[in-house]
Amino acid sequence: MLKRLLSIFVMCLFAGLASAQSGPLRIEITDGVIEPLPFALPTFQAETVGAEGVAADIGRLVSQDLVNTGLFRAISPDAFISTPASFSASIAFADWRAINAQALITGAVAVSGDQVIVKFRLYDVFAGEELGDGLQLVGTVQGWRRLGHKVADAVYSRVTGEGGYFDSRVVFIAESGPKDNRQKRVAIMDYDGANVQYLTDVGSIVLAPRFSPTGDRVLYTSYASGFPRINVLDVANVGRRELSTAPGEMSFSPRFSRDGSKVIYSLINGGNTDLFMTDLGSGQHIRLTSAPSIETAPSFSPDGSQIVFESDRSGTQQLYIMSASGGEPRRISFGQGRYGSPVWSPRGDQIAFTNQESGRFHIGVMRTDGSEERLLSTSFLDESPTWSPNGRVIMFMRETQGAGGTASLYSIDIAGRTQPRQVLLESGASDPSWGPLQP
């Protein structure tokens, strides 16, 4: 029931985007530094007894999602001159203009048993009109965070004209124990670090989990057999199977194709490390490279026609692009230092990567032809970039120096409007992979 109602909500959202795009309230996202858009969000109205707590929680989460993008600035409730008496009450736009609010978000919450109904409206304060149509979502008390993220996604989309990313999940490696004896488990969380669930135990070493394009499966590398092997895990029932390889072969660094039907990965055979692709339906293996160099960390382009990967065929670790069916690759990285961990943006226009130079690690982005390279972060160790569903934010792993160093997850806007923001978790974390928006 919840899935069906949320699907209806998504259809309503896209129906309302056409009118939102022609409205006067709009943030144009560019690479320049912009002044965040000031918005007001009065506490959501509680329309039933006992809804006050959920209403307050959802409102706070919506505000937090928007502020963390660096595009929005919340106006303190202390500055409010008036607030709507009810969800259906008329808006005193003059009171909101007086405190320089450009956007106003109002909402209401009703709770009946385990069911939660959330309504919200978005107003362009200076135009004195509603931006898009009011929307209603239905969920459960336990799922109130998803409802809040969906409201924030709708606001973000209407103001920017782009897709949101708040109602999404990230799969990662949860780490515990000392640095010389780390225990690692595949785990999944909401994009902001909430609702952590563990998908594997600590019985064996696991590395590099990767979400499928539909978010229902996860690839990861396991050492349960004593050698690296790729496993495919079903997120819903935590069922798993091993990707078959020949005896003595070691496979790692897997990634799904964009339609989820194939897996591309590195395979060590006879001392060589090359790229292979396996059709998950037929089990057919296709060799894509054959060179004495080390080829690894492949990532498909959004249309599935090309692959970016890292290789030391030039003598140092660099980035290359080739056809998804194989062929001669072309080098795209020509800056200082070594390049690795390339990931193609969901938009298809950029590639995120790790750069190591002069003892420092960086997360960076470049165009697919290698131009317009920009470094977004720098630290003792920054690795494993992954893109948000809308291609505007990168999450990555940062590890601190020394024997007591720990790994944590950070995110940063690719336009450079904000500093890297840590994802707060109770344990160490590495190797993030951002999944799609949830259905």
Side-chain angles (χ1 to χ4, degrees):
M1 183 65 174
L2 172 60
K3 182 175 180 179
R4 183 177 67 84
L5 289 168
L6 289 179
S7 298
I8 293 173
F9 159 71
V10 171
M11 287 189 290
C12 292
L13 167 59
F14 282 105
L17 277 178
S19 61
Q21 290 176 343
S22 61
L25 181 64
R26 182 71 174 272
I27 293 176
E28 295 292 341
I29 301 179
T30 67
D31 290 346
V33 177
I34 67 168
E35 182 67 24
L37 184 144
F39 71 94
L41 195 159
T43 301
F44 280 17
Q45 300 279 338
E47 295 191 327
T48 58
V49 175
E52 292 83 1
V54 177
D57 287 340
I58 289 176
R60 279 193 295 268
L61 184 60
V62 172
S63 180
Q64 176 182 301
D65 282 346
L66 296 174
V67 169
N68 285 348
T69 66
L71 296 171
F72 298 84
R73 175 175 62 84
I75 296 175
S76 171
D78 295 338
F80 295 174
I81 297 172
S82 64
T83 56
S86 67
F87 182 70
S88 58
S90 59
I91 302 299
F93 287 106
D95 290 347
W96 301 106
R97 293 189 194 104
I99 61 172
N100 294 319
Q102 293 184 31
L104 172 66
I105 304 167
T106 66
V109 176
V111 176
S112 176
D114 190 46
Q115 186 183 69
V116 177
I117 300 174
V118 179
K119 298 180 290 186
F120 90 98
R121 288 189 173 116
L122 173 64
Y123 296 94
D124 181 335
V125 172
F126 285 94
E129 61 185 23
E130 187 172 353
L131 190 62
D133 298 324
L135 295 177
Q136 177 172 298
L137 300 81
V138 179
T140 64
V141 172
Q142 294 78 13
W144 68 267
R145 294 186 64 89
R146 281 205 65 193
L147 299 176
H149 289 321
K150 283 192 172 292
V151 171
D153 276 330
V155 173
Y156 180 94
S157 295
R158 291 184 179 191
V159 176
T160 66
E162 299 186 349
Y165 59 90
F166 309 120
D167 185 32
S168 61
R169 296 188 295 176
V170 175
V171 66
F172 66 102
I173 296 296
E175 301 188 358
S176 59
K179 197 169 185 177
D180 60 352
N181 187 28
R182 288 273 168 84
Q183 293 184 325
K184 299 186 177 185
R185 291 182 285 178
V186 178
I188 194 171
M189 67 179 185
D190 295 351
Y191 97 100
D192 57 2
N195 295 326
V196 173
Q197 302 173 53
Y198 299 103
L199 303 180
T200 64
D201 57 29
V202 295
S204 62
I205 298 173
V206 290
L207 301 170
R210 299 291 180 257
F211 249 130
S212 69
T214 52
D216 59 339
R217 291 168 296 162
V218 170
L219 292 168
Y220 67 97
T221 301
S222 171
Y223 282 76
S225 66
F227 295 93
R229 293 283 190 273
I230 296 170
N231 281 246
V232 185
L233 184 148
D234 186 287
V235 175
N237 59 27
V238 200
R240 63 180 62 85
R241 64 185 176 92
E242 188 176 281
L243 199 68
S244 63
T245 55
E249 292 181 333
M250 295 180 284
S251 55
F252 58 97
S253 192
R255 228 177 253 281
F256 281 103
S257 62
R258 294 298 174 172
D259 63 2
S261 66
K262 300 178 180 65
V263 174
I264 189 171
Y265 54 95
S266 291
L267 187 142
I268 301 176
N269 186 350
N272 270 11
T273 302
D274 286 298
L275 300 183
F276 282 73
M277 183 162 57
T278 294
D279 186 296
L280 292 176
S282 66
Q284 179 186 11
H285 303 297
I286 301 173
R287 185 171 191 154
L288 300 177
T289 63
S290 181
S293 51
I294 297 174
E295 266 76 64
T296 188
S299 173
F300 280 98
S301 61
D303 64 4
S305 66
Q306 299 182 88
I307 295 166
V308 63
F309 63 98
E310 66 178 72
S311 172
D312 63 356
R313 62 179 57 205
S314 65
T316 61
Q317 187 181 357
Q318 301 294 333
L319 305 185
Y320 293 81
I321 286 178
M322 71 175 185
S323 168
S325 59
E328 187 63 27
R330 59 183 173 88
R331 180 174 166 179
I332 62 169
S333 59
F334 293 95
Q336 298 296 314
R338 295 185 293 171
Y339 292 76
S341 306
V343 190
W344 218 302
S345 163
R347 296 168 175 263
D349 59 341
Q350 297 191 78
I351 290 169
F353 59 87
T354 300
N355 170 266
Q356 183 185 9
E357 200 267 326
S358 299
R360 303 286 288 177
F361 279 78
H362 314 271
I363 299 298
V365 294
M366 65 172 66
R367 295 290 179 182
T368 58
D369 61 0
S371 64
E372 300 182 31
E373 178 181 325
R374 292 184 295 120
L375 300 181
L376 304 176
S377 76
T378 180
S379 83
F380 164 71
L381 182 59
D382 284 357
E383 286 189 326
S384 305
T386 181
W387 292 91
S388 64
N390 68 351
R392 282 296 179 187
V393 179
I394 290 175
M395 187 175 292
F396 61 95
M397 181 274 287
R398 170 171 289 178
E399 185 165 326
T400 54
Q401 196 168 2
T406 58
S408 303
L409 301 184
Y410 283 76
S411 64
I412 188 168
D413 184 281
I414 63 169
R417 284 182 296 270
T418 59
Q419 294 297 310
R421 181 186 300 275
Q422 185 175 357
V423 180
L424 298 179
L425 294 164
E426 293 183 355
S427 64
S430 62
D431 277 338
S433 175
W434 211 319
L437 285 174
Q438 297 188 77

